[in-house]
Amino acid sequence: MDKEYDVIVLGTGLKECILSGLLSVDGLKVLHMDKNDYYGGESTSLNLNQLWKRFRGSDGKPPESLGISKEYNVDMIPKFIIANGNLVRVLIHTDVTKYLNLKAVDGSFVYNKGKIYKVPANDVEAFNSPLLGFFEKFRARNFFTYIRDYEENDPKSHNGRDLTKVTAREIISENGLKDDTIDFIGHALALHLDDSYLDQPALDFVKRMKLYAESLARFQGGSPYIYPMYGLGELPQAFARLSAVYGGTYMLNKSECKVEFDADGKAIGVTSEGETAKCKKIVCDPSYLPDKVKKVGKVARAICIMSHPIPNTSDSHSAQLILPQKQLGRKSDMYLFCCSYSHNVAPRGKYIAFVSTEAETDNPEVELKPGIHLLGVVDEIFYDTYDRYVPTNHYEVDHCFISTSYDATTHFETTVDDVIEMYTKITGKILDLSVDLSSASVSADEK
């Protein structure tokens, strides 16, 4: 390992693999190492035996009624991809789409006053939605029409408003929308994590709503989301292949992976098994540099194996359901993610459901009850928590670029924002994501 690299990437989590691919395409000399003997890091996918071993220990085996172990691909960080979002743009920009088989997700739902509703995403759906009362339908339809017609570069569509100055709260109140309507628009459509967006300039909020509606229209499905066949474990491996095509070097199962620093505290290489590889920059997940990160929260989740779809989701074989925080009297939203044999992540007739949220207590079983209650009968349930970390270092000084931990959301928008920000810090360049979105296609539906 006497070569010098431009960048050494530690950990094969999704963020690290995307960056490894992007930097290799840029012509940088990349060495990618992982202490584990598998791809994916925290965002790996497990078969049934691996899932059992991780959560139930080495004793016992999964019951035969659950089917064949290798037919399971259970994501440890379950997230759907929004069809016109930045992750799809990155996939197209890097041509990684040729390594993936993507398929539309059946449904997108929201929880309101104890019931599950399809998320209305445009003026027609708002008018027909049982989520809204008679007069609210008219108000919502007018609001959605304004959003649909808004074009940032066309002042005629702005209705005299400057969305860089007007807040989201102001444009919502002008339309007289009720709190429950604001709840689903902000959390299930614009995908905001809390209500702080209401007092921010409205432009980002409007763009997020447009992204949702355009993504929904993209594949004519019941949701704006797509998801890889065989689970998210396919994504890190696809970017690893890309990096290798462009000269990136991969080394798995490298014990320790100790980052070396010079007298000024600048990263200069990585030592593993007595050998040191030199480099100019380090990219890694928080586990590789624990003294340069701080804990900011914890995610609680339940992983459930079921023999049916989530009830009241129109028999969707794959679905996202968001439970806005106010509906539960919480500080954080709760997310339900369901996938099945239709995306080849479980044997025929089996469904994998996740319930996840930002933990507000030390008791995930109690905290996740509102979401688990909506699943109906479950065959098996596994509870898990993991800590969330953010970097505290000064990358300009130590040349270490550390990703943030994955949050509780069941979509990729926050994940890709972190990757794009890291790319700019590492390279000093803005990632050009102006791509032809039509070059990403999805598989035909086969239920």
Side-chain angles (χ1 to χ4, degrees):
M1 289 206 284
D2 52 356
K3 272 203 267 187
E4 178 161 357
Y5 296 88
D6 294 310
V7 180
I8 294 180
V9 180
L10 299 176
T12 52
L14 180 60
K15 292 183 184 184
E16 289 69 38
C17 285
I18 294 174
L19 284 164
S20 178
L22 288 169
L23 298 172
S24 299
V25 169
D26 273 2
L28 298 181
K29 196 182 291 179
V30 176
L31 171 63
H32 203 147
M33 303 167 74
D34 196 323
K35 55 197 172 194
N36 298 310
D37 59 358
Y38 56 82
Y39 284 103
E42 293 299 308
S43 51
T44 191
S45 301
L46 304 181
N47 64 33
L48 188 59
N49 289 339
Q50 290 167 329
L51 187 71
W52 215 261
K53 188 175 178 186
R54 177 161 172 169
F55 292 104
R56 300 273 164 89
S58 51
D59 301 339
K61 286 185 175 172
E64 286 183 12
S65 60
L66 295 181
I68 299 167
S69 170
K70 68 180 182 186
E71 290 188 358
Y72 284 87
N73 292 291
V74 183
D75 297 332
M76 290 295 95
I77 307 287
K79 292 182 186 285
F80 289 130
I81 302 165
I82 199 156
N84 279 13
N86 279 336
L87 181 52
V88 169
R89 291 175 184 274
V90 169
L91 294 173
I92 295 168
H93 171 80
T94 53
D95 206 19
V96 164
T97 45
K98 67 186 174 194
Y99 302 124
L100 291 169
N101 190 358
L102 297 161
K103 187 176 168 187
V105 171
D106 294 340
S108 175
F109 299 88
V110 65
Y111 178 81
N112 185 270
K113 293 182 177 164
K115 289 187 176 174
I116 295 172
Y117 297 91
K118 182 184 184 302
V119 177
N122 57 41
D123 50 333
V124 177
E125 288 194 349
F127 203 70
N128 293 326
S129 174
L131 185 57
L132 304 171
F134 182 73
F135 293 111
E136 190 73 351
K137 286 180 192 290
F138 289 96
R139 290 188 284 266
R141 184 175 68 175
N142 291 340
F143 181 65
F144 278 117
T145 303
Y146 165 66
I147 299 292
R148 184 196 66 205
D149 294 343
Y150 181 89
E151 294 297 338
E152 197 175 352
N153 301 321
D154 178 10
K156 284 201 282 266
S157 71
H158 296 184
N159 287 9
R161 301 180 183 101
D162 180 351
L163 295 195
T164 61
K165 298 194 172 88
V166 177
T167 65
R169 191 186 298 279
E170 286 171 301
I171 66 163
I172 287 168
S173 64
E174 279 175 26
N175 286 271
L177 298 174
K178 291 185 174 173
D179 284 352
D180 281 349
T181 309
I182 297 167
D183 225 17
F184 87 73
I185 286 175
H187 292 256
L189 267 174
L191 303 177
H192 284 289
L193 306 187
D194 56 40
D195 285 343
S196 60
Y197 76 93
L198 286 165
D199 298 307
Q200 307 290 331
L203 184 60
D204 177 55
F205 166 65
V206 169
K207 281 182 171 175
R208 283 165 171 253
M209 286 190 66
K210 286 182 76 69
L211 171 64
Y212 189 102
E214 288 159 7
S215 298
L216 183 67
R218 176 86 188 282
F219 297 120
Q220 313 292 308
S223 87
Y225 301 107
I226 54 178
Y227 180 76
M229 300 295 279
Y230 302 101
L232 289 180
E234 296 294 295
L235 277 173
Q237 293 189 60
F239 279 101
R241 278 192 214 106
L242 173 78
S243 178
V245 166
Y246 282 88
T249 305
Y250 272 77
M251 295 181 181
L252 295 182
N253 210 11
K254 299 298 284 183
S255 59
E256 293 181 349
C257 291
K258 179 175 179 283
V259 180
E260 305 288 353
F261 296 92
D262 66 12
D264 298 323
K266 187 176 81 182
I268 52 169
V270 174
T271 299
S272 173
E273 297 165 1
E275 291 183 292
T276 301
K278 292 191 165 61
C279 67
K280 297 169 188 159
K281 293 174 181 174
I282 296 285
V283 173
C284 65
D285 70 45
S287 70
Y288 286 86
L289 289 171
D291 57 339
K292 290 181 180 283
V293 297
K294 68 173 179 183
K295 180 181 166 183
V296 291
K298 186 164 72 171
V299 173
R301 64 182 173 178
I303 305 164
C304 305
I305 300 174
M306 312 190 300
S307 299
H308 57 83
I310 298 175
N312 306 307
T313 59
S314 310
D315 289 332
S316 297
H317 285 222
S318 51
Q320 174 179 264
L321 167 59
I322 294 179
L323 288 70
Q325 58 198 65
K326 276 187 189 161
Q327 299 293 325
L328 304 175
R330 292 173 48 80
K331 296 191 200 89
S332 327
D333 292 354
M334 195 170 288
Y335 300 87
L336 268 65
F337 169 109
C338 179
C339 223
S340 68
Y341 58 93
S342 71
H343 277 89
N344 292 357
V345 298
R348 183 158 281 278
K350 294 294 179 189
Y351 297 75
I352 312 290
F354 288 80
V355 183
S356 52
T357 191
E358 182 69 19
E360 295 173 11
T361 71
D362 290 324
N363 193 336
E365 284 93 337
V366 172
E367 197 162 356
L368 295 168
K369 253 186 189 162
I372 292 165
H373 173 70
L374 298 174
L375 297 179
V377 177
V378 300
D379 301 340
E380 293 289 342
I381 187 164
F382 309 88
Y383 288 99
D384 187 25
T385 58
Y386 65 87
D387 292 333
R388 286 196 308 109
Y389 296 94
V390 297
T392 54
N393 65 313
H394 296 286
Y395 65 87
E396 307 93 330
V397 177
D398 62 15
H399 292 202
C400 295
F401 302 85
I402 308 168
S403 60
T404 59
S405 303
Y406 298 92
D407 61 24
T409 62
T410 44
H411 54 78
F412 267 112
E413 294 309 281
T414 49
T415 300
V416 185
D417 289 345
D418 188 33
V419 168
I420 292 168
E421 196 177 311
M422 287 179 72
Y423 174 85
T424 298
K425 287 174 181 171
I426 296 162
T427 65
K429 297 191 298 190
I430 302 291
L431 186 61
D432 179 13
L433 292 178
S434 53
V435 296
D436 176 12
L437 284 163
S438 65
S439 53
S441 58
V442 295
S443 305
D445 194 35
E446 299 167 13
K447 279 197 186 171

